[in-house]
Amino acid sequence: GEDVEQSLFLSVREGDSSVINCTYTDSSSTYLYWYKQEPGAGLQLLTYIFSNMDMKQDQRLTVLLNKKDKHLSLRIADTQTGDSAIYFCAEIGTGNQFYFGTGTSLTVIP
Amino acid sequence: DTGVSQDPRHKITKRGQNVTFRCDPISEHNRLYWYRQTLGQGPEFLTYFQNEAQLEKSRLLSDRFSAERPKGSFSTLEIQRTEQGDSAMYLCASSPKLGEQYFGPGTRLTVT
């Protein structure tokens, strides 16, 4: 099956940029996603990128996709304490199944 | 609120009992997904409906699990003869088209 991997933890200082990385295995993925999950809450779709794009920017968020290396990253500019959460990378594989990574816990230090 | 809703939000049950969860998707979303999430893990796909048809089921979905979406609107997920290993957050998501998913708040199941 598909395998989506992320590092487990990231700490940054408030105001700095955060970069969360993800690798995936399904080269046929059409969309790749970033979701945010705050404690006790459901998953919130942050952004997604179509597989024929290299980059997508949405306000403080920048998504970079390297299809050759099957590497996806999420950059959060000017990270705020409200950005502290778990961030999940996901891909849509063959059929309609979504595959999620284990999540990266982002801690923003004031 | 027009988001995805799930009921109940929390369920505590004894091992061996049956439980049923409900998901109300965003209206007019014809796709509906169920996931299971355990602590420290990402959501794992369980099953997918397009309208009332259950089109995909994960190998994770044992025969104790059954899901329905009888009228193509709300969906139920039933777990029979619950085991402690079933303790998890059960997430529902709905989608208007391939590539988009909107998640509900989840139902947290604790099997004692």
Side-chain angles (χ1 to χ4, degrees):
Chain A
E2 283 72 6
D3 195 14
V4 181
E5 295 190 352
Q6 302 177 236
S7 53
L8 292 180
F9 302 101
L10 177 66
S11 290
V12 298
R13 292 207 172 275
E14 189 174 17
D16 288 348
S17 293
S18 308
V19 180
I20 303 171
N21 295 301
C22 168
T23 57
Y24 61 97
T25 57
D26 187 351
S27 58
S28 66
S29 294
T30 50
Y31 292 95
L32 295 124
Y33 302 84
W34 285 103
Y35 282 85
K36 177 183 181 182
Q37 188 174 38
E38 295 178 273
L43 280 83
Q44 175 194 353
L45 176 64
L46 286 179
T47 188
Y48 64 93
I49 188 168
F50 191 54
S51 60
N52 68 353
M53 298 169 64
D54 297 325
M55 185 182 87
K56 181 179 179 182
Q57 187 153 4
D58 183 1
Q59 299 182 336
R60 292 191 298 123
L61 305 179
T62 303
V63 179
L64 295 177
L65 174 60
N66 181 329
K67 281 196 72 175
K68 176 175 169 289
D69 295 337
K70 298 191 186 71
H71 183 266
L72 183 74
S73 68
L74 174 69
R75 178 177 180 270
I76 305 172
D78 187 25
T79 314
Q80 303 297 307
T81 54
D83 295 325
S84 292
I86 299 176
Y87 290 80
F88 291 96
C89 165
E91 62 170 343
I92 185 166
T94 54
N96 292 284
Q97 296 195 21
F98 279 71
Y99 295 93
F100 285 81
T102 52
T104 299
S105 178
L106 173 65
T107 301
V108 181
I109 304 163
Chain B
D1 187 340
T2 56
V4 178
S5 61
Q6 293 186 245
D7 184 68
R9 293 292 305 276
H10 303 274
K11 178 71 177 178
I12 300 173
T13 192
K14 291 186 185 302
R15 189 174 53 189
Q17 297 295 303
N18 299 345
V19 294
T20 300
F21 309 140
R22 176 178 168 125
C23 171
D24 286 273
I26 295 170
S27 60
E28 299 177 359
H29 281 193
N30 61 353
R31 298 167 187 253
L32 187 146
Y33 301 78
W34 284 100
Y35 292 85
R36 179 173 64 192
Q37 186 179 21
T38 53
L39 199 61
Q41 300 295 319
E44 295 173 299
F45 171 82
L46 292 179
T47 191
Y48 158 68
F49 289 85
Q50 185 160 336
N51 299 312
E52 65 274 12
Q54 187 174 19
L55 296 185
E56 295 199 37
K57 288 174 63 171
S58 165
R59 291 186 296 274
L60 295 173
L61 213 63
S62 78
D63 56 7
R64 295 184 298 105
F65 287 70
S66 62
E68 293 182 344
R69 194 182 184 200
K71 296 180 182 177
S73 56
F74 72 92
S75 176
T76 58
L77 177 69
E78 181 183 17
I79 309 173
Q80 296 183 325
R81 304 181 303 282
T82 51
E83 301 172 358
Q84 286 187 320
D86 297 331
S87 295
M89 178 76 86
Y90 290 83
L91 296 167
C92 174
S94 73
S95 169
K97 61 179 180 179
L98 185 65
E100 291 184 21
Q101 273 191 125
Y102 300 90
F103 281 83
T107 294
R108 182 169 295 284
L109 173 66
T110 302
V111 182
T112 61

